[in-house]
Amino acid sequence: MVTGERFHLEIDGSAHLTAASVRAVEDACAVAERDGFLAVAVTGVPDGMRTEADVALVSKWERALRRLERLPATTIAVASGAVGGPALDALLATDHRIATPDTRLEVSLSGAATWPGMALHRLVQQAGIAAVRRAVLFGQPLTAARALALDLVHDLVDAPLPALTEAVAAARLRSGRELAIRRQLMHDAATTSFEDALGAHLAACDRTLRQAAAGAGR
Protein backbone atom coordinates (compact mmCIF):
# COMPACT_ATOMS: atom_id res chain seq x y z
CA MET A 1 0.00 0.00 0.00
CA VAL A 2 1.13 3.54 -0.75
CA THR A 3 1.10 5.46 2.52
CA GLY A 4 2.70 8.47 4.10
CA GLU A 5 2.27 12.12 4.96
CA ARG A 6 1.00 12.91 1.46
CA PHE A 7 -2.41 11.46 2.34
CA HIS A 8 -5.17 13.04 4.41
CA LEU A 9 -6.98 9.71 4.67
CA GLU A 10 -5.99 6.04 4.42
CA ILE A 11 -8.73 3.42 4.08
CA ASP A 12 -7.91 -0.24 4.70
CA GLY A 13 -10.75 -2.34 3.30
CA SER A 14 -9.70 -5.31 5.44
CA ALA A 15 -10.18 -3.40 8.70
CA HIS A 16 -13.37 -3.41 10.76
CA LEU A 17 -15.74 -0.52 10.08
CA THR A 18 -15.99 1.49 13.31
CA ALA A 19 -17.05 4.88 14.57
CA ALA A 20 -13.38 5.86 14.24
CA SER A 21 -13.57 5.07 10.50
CA VAL A 22 -16.42 7.54 10.16
CA ARG A 23 -14.57 10.20 12.17
CA ALA A 24 -11.47 9.75 10.01
CA VAL A 25 -13.48 10.56 6.87
CA GLU A 26 -15.18 13.51 8.54
CA ASP A 27 -11.85 14.90 9.79
CA ALA A 28 -10.30 14.50 6.33
CA CYS A 29 -13.25 16.34 4.78
CA ALA A 30 -12.70 19.24 7.16
CA VAL A 31 -9.06 19.45 6.06
CA ALA A 32 -10.10 19.31 2.40
CA GLU A 33 -12.57 22.16 2.86
CA ARG A 34 -9.64 24.24 4.10
CA ASP A 35 -6.94 23.09 1.67
CA GLY A 36 -8.98 22.65 -1.54
CA PHE A 37 -8.01 19.04 -2.15
CA LEU A 38 -8.16 15.65 -0.49
CA ALA A 39 -5.68 12.80 -1.07
CA VAL A 40 -6.88 9.30 -0.15
CA ALA A 41 -4.99 5.98 -0.16
CA VAL A 42 -7.15 2.85 -0.49
CA THR A 43 -6.38 -0.86 -0.42
CA GLY A 44 -7.64 -4.08 1.16
CA VAL A 45 -10.81 -6.18 1.08
CA PRO A 46 -12.97 -7.49 3.93
CA ASP A 47 -12.05 -10.88 5.32
CA GLY A 48 -15.58 -12.22 5.71
CA MET A 49 -18.64 -10.29 6.90
CA ARG A 50 -17.99 -7.72 9.63
CA THR A 51 -20.55 -8.49 12.32
CA GLU A 52 -19.36 -5.62 14.53
CA ALA A 53 -21.03 -3.03 12.27
CA ASP A 54 -24.77 -2.37 12.34
CA VAL A 55 -27.10 -0.50 10.02
CA ALA A 56 -26.77 2.71 12.03
CA LEU A 57 -22.98 2.66 11.67
CA VAL A 58 -23.11 1.89 7.94
CA SER A 59 -25.59 4.78 7.54
CA LYS A 60 -23.15 7.15 9.27
CA TRP A 61 -20.34 5.82 7.07
CA GLU A 62 -22.34 6.52 3.94
CA ARG A 63 -23.25 10.02 5.11
CA ALA A 64 -19.55 10.71 5.65
CA LEU A 65 -18.76 9.43 2.14
CA ARG A 66 -21.56 11.58 0.73
CA ARG A 67 -19.92 14.60 2.33
CA LEU A 68 -16.63 13.55 0.72
CA GLU A 69 -18.40 13.14 -2.62
CA ARG A 70 -19.82 16.69 -2.45
CA LEU A 71 -16.78 18.55 -1.15
CA PRO A 72 -15.92 21.96 -2.63
CA ALA A 73 -12.50 20.44 -3.27
CA THR A 74 -10.88 18.03 -5.70
CA THR A 75 -10.67 14.53 -4.24
CA ILE A 76 -7.85 12.26 -5.43
CA ALA A 77 -7.46 8.56 -4.61
CA VAL A 78 -4.47 6.27 -4.97
CA ALA A 79 -5.44 2.58 -5.14
CA SER A 80 -3.17 -0.43 -4.87
CA GLY A 81 -3.65 -4.18 -4.53
CA ALA A 82 -7.09 -5.64 -3.89
CA VAL A 83 -9.65 -2.90 -3.19
CA GLY A 84 -13.05 -3.79 -1.74
CA GLY A 85 -15.49 -3.05 1.06
CA PRO A 86 -14.92 0.39 2.65
CA ALA A 87 -11.85 0.95 0.44
CA LEU A 88 -13.93 0.54 -2.72
CA ASP A 89 -16.67 2.73 -1.23
CA ALA A 90 -14.17 5.54 -0.72
CA LEU A 91 -12.45 5.09 -4.10
CA LEU A 92 -15.73 5.42 -6.01
CA ALA A 93 -16.62 8.61 -4.12
CA THR A 94 -13.52 10.49 -5.34
CA ASP A 95 -13.03 12.67 -8.43
CA HIS A 96 -9.65 11.49 -9.74
CA ARG A 97 -8.30 7.96 -9.25
CA ILE A 98 -4.74 6.76 -9.65
CA ALA A 99 -4.04 3.02 -9.57
CA THR A 100 -1.01 0.75 -9.63
CA PRO A 101 -0.95 -2.17 -12.11
CA ASP A 102 -1.65 -4.70 -9.34
CA THR A 103 -4.92 -2.98 -8.41
CA ARG A 104 -8.11 -4.99 -8.68
CA LEU A 105 -11.58 -3.83 -7.65
CA GLU A 106 -13.58 -6.46 -5.80
CA VAL A 107 -17.24 -6.46 -4.87
CA SER A 108 -16.76 -8.25 -1.59
CA LEU A 109 -18.71 -11.46 -1.08
CA SER A 110 -18.94 -13.68 1.98
CA GLY A 111 -21.04 -16.72 1.19
CA ALA A 112 -24.46 -15.31 0.36
CA ALA A 113 -23.63 -11.91 1.87
CA THR A 114 -22.31 -8.78 0.18
CA TRP A 115 -20.59 -5.82 1.82
CA PRO A 116 -23.51 -3.52 2.76
CA GLY A 117 -22.11 -0.28 1.36
CA MET A 118 -23.12 1.74 -1.69
CA ALA A 119 -20.31 0.48 -3.93
CA LEU A 120 -22.75 -1.54 -6.06
CA HIS A 121 -24.83 1.58 -6.67
CA ARG A 122 -21.81 3.69 -7.58
CA LEU A 123 -20.31 0.99 -9.81
CA VAL A 124 -23.49 0.70 -11.88
CA GLN A 125 -23.99 4.46 -11.99
CA GLN A 126 -20.44 5.09 -13.15
CA ALA A 127 -19.76 2.14 -15.49
CA GLY A 128 -23.16 0.75 -16.44
CA ILE A 129 -24.90 -2.54 -15.68
CA ALA A 130 -23.38 -4.62 -18.49
CA ALA A 131 -19.82 -3.54 -17.69
CA VAL A 132 -19.96 -4.63 -14.06
CA ARG A 133 -22.47 -7.49 -14.23
CA ARG A 134 -19.94 -10.27 -13.55
CA ALA A 135 -18.28 -8.31 -10.78
CA VAL A 136 -21.59 -7.62 -9.06
CA LEU A 137 -23.27 -11.01 -9.54
CA PHE A 138 -20.30 -13.36 -9.27
CA GLY A 139 -17.61 -11.38 -7.49
CA GLN A 140 -15.22 -11.41 -10.47
CA PRO A 141 -12.54 -8.78 -9.76
CA LEU A 142 -12.12 -5.84 -12.12
CA THR A 143 -8.43 -5.71 -13.04
CA ALA A 144 -6.59 -2.40 -13.17
CA ALA A 145 -6.66 -2.47 -16.98
CA ARG A 146 -10.40 -3.18 -17.03
CA ALA A 147 -11.09 -0.48 -14.46
CA LEU A 148 -9.09 1.97 -16.58
CA ALA A 149 -11.07 1.04 -19.69
CA LEU A 150 -14.30 1.68 -17.78
CA ASP A 151 -13.02 5.02 -16.40
CA LEU A 152 -13.38 3.70 -12.86
CA VAL A 153 -9.71 4.67 -12.50
CA HIS A 154 -8.08 7.39 -14.56
CA ASP A 155 -4.30 6.85 -14.36
CA LEU A 156 -2.47 3.53 -14.27
CA VAL A 157 1.11 4.05 -13.09
CA ASP A 158 3.96 2.10 -11.50
CA ALA A 159 4.96 5.06 -9.32
CA PRO A 160 1.79 6.72 -7.99
CA LEU A 161 3.36 9.45 -5.85
CA PRO A 162 4.60 11.59 -8.78
CA ALA A 163 1.15 11.23 -10.39
CA LEU A 164 -0.44 12.27 -7.09
CA THR A 165 1.83 15.33 -6.86
CA GLU A 166 0.80 16.37 -10.37
CA ALA A 167 -2.88 15.84 -9.61
CA VAL A 168 -2.66 17.87 -6.41
CA ALA A 169 -0.99 20.74 -8.28
CA ALA A 170 -3.83 20.73 -10.81
CA ALA A 171 -6.41 20.52 -8.01
CA ARG A 172 -5.16 23.76 -6.50
CA LEU A 173 -6.21 25.53 -9.73
CA ARG A 174 -9.75 24.17 -9.98
CA SER A 175 -11.11 23.38 -6.52
CA GLY A 176 -13.78 25.39 -4.76
CA ARG A 177 -17.51 25.97 -4.92
CA GLU A 178 -17.53 26.10 -8.73
CA LEU A 179 -16.11 22.56 -8.84
CA ALA A 180 -18.79 21.36 -6.42
CA ILE A 181 -21.52 22.92 -8.58
CA ARG A 182 -20.21 21.32 -11.80
CA ARG A 183 -19.87 17.96 -10.06
CA GLN A 184 -23.46 18.10 -8.79
CA LEU A 185 -24.82 19.09 -12.21
CA MET A 186 -22.91 16.17 -13.73
CA HIS A 187 -24.27 13.68 -11.18
CA ASP A 188 -27.82 14.98 -11.56
CA ALA A 189 -27.66 14.58 -15.34
CA ALA A 190 -27.56 10.79 -14.96
CA THR A 191 -30.90 10.63 -13.13
CA THR A 192 -32.75 13.89 -13.84
CA SER A 193 -34.79 14.88 -16.88
CA PHE A 194 -33.84 17.93 -18.94
CA GLU A 195 -36.88 19.83 -17.68
CA ASP A 196 -36.11 19.10 -14.03
CA ALA A 197 -32.40 19.91 -14.48
CA LEU A 198 -32.96 23.18 -16.33
CA GLY A 199 -33.54 25.28 -13.21
CA ALA A 200 -30.30 24.18 -11.56
CA HIS A 201 -28.33 24.83 -14.76
CA LEU A 202 -29.87 28.28 -15.18
CA ALA A 203 -29.00 29.08 -11.57
CA ALA A 204 -25.40 28.06 -12.25
CA CYS A 205 -25.37 30.19 -15.41
CA ASP A 206 -26.76 33.16 -13.48
CA ARG A 207 -24.02 32.76 -10.87
CA THR A 208 -21.34 32.71 -13.59
CA LEU A 209 -22.78 35.73 -15.41
CA ARG A 210 -23.04 37.76 -12.21
CA GLN A 211 -19.41 36.96 -11.37
CA ALA A 212 -18.33 37.98 -14.87
CA ALA A 213 -20.29 41.23 -14.63
CA ALA A 214 -18.81 42.01 -11.23
CA GLY A 215 -15.32 41.37 -12.61
CA ALA A 216 -15.94 43.63 -15.61
CA GLY A 217 -17.18 46.39 -13.34
CA ARG A 218 -14.02 46.53 -11.29
Side-chain angles (χ1 to χ4, degrees):
M1 179 178 180
V2 179
T3 60
E5 296 179 355
R6 296 170 186 261
F7 296 99
H8 302 99
L9 180 64
E10 298 180 19
I11 304 292
D12 181 356
S14 68
H16 293 237
L17 183 64
T18 65
S21 309
V22 177
R23 287 196 300 272
V25 174
E26 294 283 2
D27 290 346
C29 287
V31 172
E33 288 165 348
R34 182 196 68 205
D35 292 350
F37 68 92
L38 176 67
V40 187
V42 297
T43 193
V45 295
D47 180 15
M49 185 55 63
R50 296 306 189 185
T51 57
E52 297 83 356
D54 56 20
V55 171
L57 180 59
V58 174
S59 178
K60 291 176 182 177
W61 169 251
E62 286 298 338
R63 285 200 298 272
L65 289 179
R66 194 62 169 158
R67 179 182 174 187
L68 186 155
E69 204 166 33
R70 294 179 168 182
L71 282 172
T74 302
T75 54
I76 307 160
V78 173
S80 59
V83 177
L88 183 59
D89 290 340
L91 175 71
L92 296 175
T94 58
D95 296 320
H96 184 71
R97 303 153 195 176
I98 301 164
T100 55
D102 67 336
T103 300
R104 61 185 188 277
L105 309 186
E106 299 189 11
V107 180
S108 304
L109 303 172
S110 178
T114 302
W115 168 253
M118 293 290 287
L120 293 185
H121 178 80
R122 290 188 174 95
L123 276 172
V124 172
Q125 266 202 336
Q126 295 175 26
I129 292 175
V132 299
R133 183 184 303 275
R134 286 178 292 177
V136 170
L137 297 182
F138 307 116
Q140 179 175 332
L142 294 168
T143 65
R146 179 63 173 156
L148 181 66
L150 295 175
D151 273 340
L152 293 171
V153 300
H154 307 116
D155 289 323
L156 194 57
V157 296
D158 293 313
L161 292 183
L164 174 63
T165 299
E166 183 177 343
V168 168
R172 295 183 187 278
L173 301 176
R174 63 173 181 262
S175 284
R177 177 152 178 77
E178 297 303 325
L179 171 78
I181 290 172
R182 291 196 299 274
R183 186 196 293 119
Q184 190 60 48
L185 292 174
M186 177 182 67
H187 287 170
D188 289 348
T191 57
T192 306
S193 69
F194 177 89
E195 289 75 17
D196 290 339
L198 181 59
H201 280 263
L202 290 176
C205 289
D206 181 64
R207 174 184 170 85
T208 299
L209 292 171
R210 288 177 182 273
Q211 289 177 339
R218 286 198 293 268

